Amino acid sequence: MPHKPNQDCCDHGGKRNGCGRKPGVKTQPIRLPAWLLEQLSEEGDPRQMIIDACLAQHPSICNKGPAIND
């Protein structure tokens, strides 16, 4: 049975429509220790907790980005 890749999502490189990416949202991969992510997951959404902690530590960055589109 021949393998037929999904043209919209499985293309290697280039534009990837339909893969859960939001237009205009730029991300950078940041590796965190597994133990930290596990601990944060037990408390709630790790991503939101990291954002909240950063804003609490550096409140001046709150309005320095584009409109909220996360």
Side-chain angles (χ1 to χ4, degrees):
M1 181 156 125
H3 177 66
K4 187 175 182 181
N6 181 341
Q7 294 294 329
D8 291 333
C9 194
C10 297
D11 187 30
H12 293 284
K15 190 175 179 181
R16 294 173 54 173
N17 293 327
C19 291
R21 294 184 180 188
K22 295 181 181 180
V25 176
K26 294 182 180 180
T27 61
Q28 295 178 341
I30 298 174
R31 296 179 187 259
L32 296 172
W35 65 265
L36 176 58
L37 289 175
E38 289 172 13
Q39 292 292 318
L40 292 173
S41 294
E42 290 177 9
E43 300 295 322
D45 177 21
R47 181 179 176 273
Q48 188 60 50
M49 293 178 76
I50 292 168
I51 291 169
D52 293 344
C54 290
L55 292 175
Q57 185 72 27
H58 304 283
S60 64
I61 64 174
C62 188
N63 295 322
K64 285 192 176 179
I68 296 173
N69 56 0
D70 58 353

